[in-house]
Structure formats: C-alpha cells, structure tokens
Amino acid sequence: MDQLARELRSYRPPNLQGVMDFPGEFVWPRYEGRCVGNLAQTVAGLLGAEIPGALPALDADILGDLTDGVKRVVLLVMDAMGWLQLRRVMAQHDDLIFHPLAEKGRLVPITTTFLSTTNSVLSTIWSGHPPLEHGLLAFELYLREWMMAVEAIGFSSVNELFANTLLRWGFEPEEFLAVPSVGQVLGPQGVSTVSVIHKNFTTTPLSRMHFRGADEVRGHSYASDLWVTLRRALADNRDKRLLLGGYWPAVDTLAHKHGPDDETGEAEMRAISMLMETLFLEQLEPADRDGTLLLITADHGQVRTPASEIAVLDDHPQLRDMLWMAPVGESRVPFFYARNGATDAARDYLESHFGDQFVFFSREQILQSALLGPGKMYAEVPYRLGDIVGIAKGPHAFSWNQEDAERLLGRHGGLSPEEMLVPLLAARLDA
C-alpha cells in the first residue's frame, strides 16, 4: 500500500503541458484509471450498464476478483477521510472494522480530482465526468450568467452563505451541471440508484444536481441512523440491480474546526467503524449480502493551516487595487480576476510576495495542463477560473481578511498528498 502511495506521489504525465514548473510535492490527479472519478464507470460496468463519454473505469488490478457476480454496489463517501489520515488511525487502532474488510478485500490509495474540494469532487463521483466537463470547479465561483460570485453548494452570494439567494431568483439546480448524473444515465439501463445523506442536505441545490434521476433520496439525522437507513435501503431494493450511495460529513467538519491531525477526527473515525460494524455489517440479511460490493472512499483529505501561515488580502491594498473582485475558488487554490490591463502586474506582485507559499499559473496554463481532466471543456469553465490561479504549497492559504484566516484550522482544495490521496476500501459482503 505504501509503495502504491509513493507511485501516485511521484507520477507525472508523459506529455506535461502548461504547468512545466510543477512542484515535486504536488500529486497529479490520475483520471485515466486510479481516481475517484473512475468509480462511476466502474460501478456501471459491474451492474451491466455504461456511462457514455464518462471517465474510464478503474484499472482492473485495483478491484481484482472482487467483481464477479456483483448485483449491488454500496458506495460510501466519507468527507475528508484522506488516505494519510486513515492509515495513521488504522496504525493506532487494530480493532477498527477497516482492518478485516481490507484483509478480505482491497485497501489501496487512489487520487481525488482537482480541485480537491467537496462540491467539485462529488459532482465528478455522481456523474463520472471530470471538472473540465461538468464545470463545478470550486466552493466559490464567479458565475457570469448571474453576474455574481457565489458559494456553489447553496448557490448564494459569497457574502451571505447558504441563504438560497439564486433559488429565490429562479435558479434551477437541475439545469446547472453540464453533464447528466449517474441516476439519469443508469436508470434507463435498468439500474436503480438510491442515496442516503443527512436530512439537511436532501434538497440543497447541490444534491438536486447530483441526484437527478435517482429512484430515491433518503435523509437521516445522526450517525447511528445513517447506518440503519443504509441497511434498510439495501433490504428494500434487494431484488434490483442497485447503486446505493451514502455520504458522511463529520470528519470534514471536525478537521476544518480543529485541524486534520486533532484527536476529534480520530475519534470520529473510530465511531464510524463501530457503528458501521454493529448497525450495518453485522445485521445484514444473507439475501442483502449476496452479490453486494462495498466501496468506501473520500472526496479529499485536509491540511492543517494555522492563521500565521495564511496570506490576507486586506494586508495588500496594492494587490487589491489590481483586482476587480476578491479572489474566489478555494483558499488553497485562489482564483484571481485582474482589472483590465493589470494581469501581468498582478502576477508579478503575487509571485514576488507569495512565491514561497504558492505556485501561480495563468488560466491558459491550467486549461492546457489537464489538471481539470480530459474531455471536451464546458464553455463556462474559462470564465470560472480567473486570470491567475494560485496553488498552495505546504500549510498556506489565501484569505480576504484576518477573520477568515482564523475561521478554519484545516483546509483543502490543493494538490498536496494530504489533500489528494484518498482511500478506496473494497470488500464483498457475501465473502
């Protein structure tokens, strides 16, 4: 497993374009077969279907002989449960259910997508298409069609988070993503899709995008009934070809507040293990185990980002005057929109003041690099990137003001191993 992680960390595409000065510490997203973006096509193939035009399936060696006779797939996304964090916790606790699952199945590292942030990665997982094609690149996006910068989960102004601003103005989430969801594609091919997420997320704009065409979206309230609800959903659909999806956000929430290396994250992962074992795995009926493949992964990991390591726009009025809006994107991958004629000056300023903290690329360099994936670029992608894109090195980030710099102790979005390497735990439940 450690050798596989080293190979992922050292890989560079044979025809690297656009970002020739790609730092050695960064991890390249492996869209060609070792990435969370390959899960959709993998699941489709196991269930006798396909997703035309999507990213390819996982490389065959990853799942090996676990794929024979699969009738149902349970795909669980544990937000921010990165590979390095999971391996650290597993090394400290040999009683976790992850150990026996890995022994009878597979536990390997794969990469997430770029940007390594929830709304973008989940859009890839639940469509099979890379960010270049679906267009949802980051948590904060400038949408020229709405002439505003929005947070792209609730789709409200960045200055009024989760206030349903665009919904009140007629925004239709089902029409936003430029690619179909897995539910829309698999349903007509006879594959049912059911998702289990927290009840507060069932009707958010982001969920309405991801679960288009789903047979059902079930809400839960706590960690305990997440596993009970998953078990019941599996039983209710035992006679169908089924993709059962689940999502748990708590590791991410705790890592943002306390940092990804804090004991609270470790405690949450131990709790996940115990509840999954006692409320889900141990209570499954034989008929629900038969032909069922369990896949557990994450959308990203996190990096500890102390406020002392974060650049603050308010401290640089000269830079602010070169921009026509505050940077959006992610704090670990800020998108800078320069005023007309100020792009070169803004990049010079950024490189001279923050060159030891970030690597800066032009929009064209990012688009040429394939960091956002292969395929046909969605028309709005160039407008959502900004003129200059920074990618953080080490523990650094970029904030608008000091309050925002102190708001989160853990962050993600960038290309560090902590953010980019995620686990794929695969096990047959009838083994």
Side-chain angles (χ1 to χ4, degrees):
M1 289 185 287
D2 293 335
Q3 176 61 29
L4 292 174
R6 286 192 291 270
E7 291 174 0
L8 289 174
R9 294 175 71 155
S10 63
Y11 174 84
R12 294 293 181 268
N15 298 310
L16 188 64
Q17 297 181 3
V19 290
M20 299 303 294
D21 297 325
F22 197 72
E25 68 190 80
F26 286 178
V27 173
W28 193 270
R30 299 294 300 276
Y31 297 105
E32 76 281 5
R34 308 192 82 84
C35 175
V36 295
N38 306 116
L39 288 168
Q41 195 73 277
T42 300
V43 171
L46 292 174
L47 299 175
E50 64 174 339
I51 306 176
L55 290 167
L58 289 165
D59 290 347
D61 64 293
I62 292 181
L63 295 182
D65 59 1
L66 298 177
T67 61
D68 295 339
V70 171
K71 303 173 184 177
R72 288 169 296 276
V73 177
V74 181
L75 174 57
L76 305 179
V77 180
M78 301 298 178
D79 200 325
M81 194 176 75
W83 170 257
L84 296 176
Q85 184 181 11
L86 176 62
R87 292 288 289 155
R88 183 173 66 248
V89 174
M90 288 181 66
Q92 295 169 351
H93 302 280
D94 58 10
D95 59 338
L96 298 180
I97 189 60
F98 306 125
H99 289 288
L101 287 174
E103 289 172 4
K104 72 176 185 178
R106 304 288 180 94
L107 174 59
V108 297
I110 57 175
T111 76
T112 187
T113 66
F114 180 72
L115 282 56
S116 54
T117 194
T118 300
N119 62 341
S120 183
V121 180
L122 290 183
S123 296
T124 294
I125 290 175
W126 298 121
S127 72
H129 291 265
L132 186 75
E133 293 184 335
H134 65 61
L136 214 171
L137 306 180
F139 174 59
E140 294 175 340
L141 291 176
Y142 172 69
L143 302 182
R144 65 170 182 160
E145 60 268 45
W146 289 92
M147 296 183 290
M148 66 185 297
V150 305
E151 51 84 6
I153 292 179
F155 285 78
S156 297
S157 164
V158 293
N159 296 305
E160 191 182 15
L161 301 181
F162 311 114
N164 295 323
T165 307
L166 293 192
L167 288 177
R168 296 198 305 268
W169 295 351
F171 176 66
E172 296 182 358
E174 292 80 3
E175 304 299 324
F176 181 77
L177 288 185
V179 295
S181 69
V182 292
Q184 289 176 304
V185 177
L186 298 185
Q189 299 180 66
V191 177
S192 297
T193 56
V194 176
S195 291
V196 177
I197 58 177
H198 194 278
K199 65 178 183 178
N200 292 344
F201 302 154
T202 56
T203 59
T204 64
L206 190 65
S207 293
R208 289 168 60 181
M209 296 173 194
H210 293 165
F211 304 130
R212 291 167 294 162
D215 292 71
E216 188 179 3
V217 178
R218 298 193 184 191
H220 66 88
S221 299
Y222 302 100
S224 55
D225 72 318
L226 163 66
W227 300 104
V228 173
T229 305
L230 282 166
R231 173 163 48 83
R232 290 172 175 171
L234 193 58
D236 291 344
N237 292 275
R238 67 172 53 141
D239 297 324
K240 303 174 183 177
R241 286 186 292 155
L242 174 70
L243 168 57
L244 173 59
Y247 168 78
W248 183 241
V251 176
D252 184 68
T253 301
L254 292 167
H256 277 310
K257 182 176 181 180
H258 302 289
D261 52 355
D262 189 76
E263 65 176 308
T264 54
E266 175 185 337
E268 179 60 27
M269 291 167 67
R270 295 177 68 189
I272 288 171
S273 170
M274 184 271 291
L275 292 172
M276 178 169 59
E277 182 175 13
T278 59
L279 298 180
F280 181 66
L281 295 174
E282 290 182 353
Q283 298 191 40
L284 287 175
E285 296 291 337
D288 299 324
R289 297 179 182 277
D290 181 40
T292 300
L293 175 66
L294 173 66
L295 301 175
I296 300 176
T297 192
D299 49 354
H300 55 75
Q302 282 206 27
V303 172
R304 188 178 182 86
T305 54
S308 60
E309 304 293 343
I310 297 179
V312 177
L313 181 64
D314 280 353
D315 296 338
H316 297 269
Q318 184 177 348
L319 172 63
R320 186 178 57 216
D321 289 345
M322 298 177 191
L323 307 174
W324 60 265
M325 61 182 289
V328 290
E330 298 286 335
S331 61
R332 295 269 297 163
V333 187
F335 301 167
F336 298 92
Y337 288 82
R339 294 181 61 185
N340 188 32
T343 301
D344 290 342
R347 184 162 178 175
D348 288 344
Y349 188 98
L350 288 166
E351 290 180 339
S352 64
H353 287 77
F354 309 110
D356 59 338
Q357 303 171 37
F358 291 82
V359 182
F360 295 98
F361 301 105
S362 69
R363 174 194 296 112
E364 290 73 23
Q365 287 176 304
I366 294 293
L367 294 177
Q368 292 173 12
S369 71
L371 279 170
L372 296 173
K376 183 179 179 181
M377 181 174 63
Y378 176 46
E380 294 301 316
V381 165
Y383 302 96
R384 295 177 185 173
L385 265 181
D387 304 294
I388 305 164
V389 177
I391 305 178
K393 298 185 287 187
H396 301 290
F398 202 102
S399 291
W400 297 357
N401 51 50
Q402 190 61 38
E403 179 183 3
D404 183 60
E406 297 173 356
R407 186 171 58 90
L408 302 175
L409 190 52
R411 299 171 190 255
H412 53 83
L415 288 168
S416 73
E418 292 82 0
E419 296 160 291
M420 286 296 296
L421 296 181
V422 297
L424 179 61
L425 176 59
R428 288 293 292 263
L429 299 187
D430 50 5

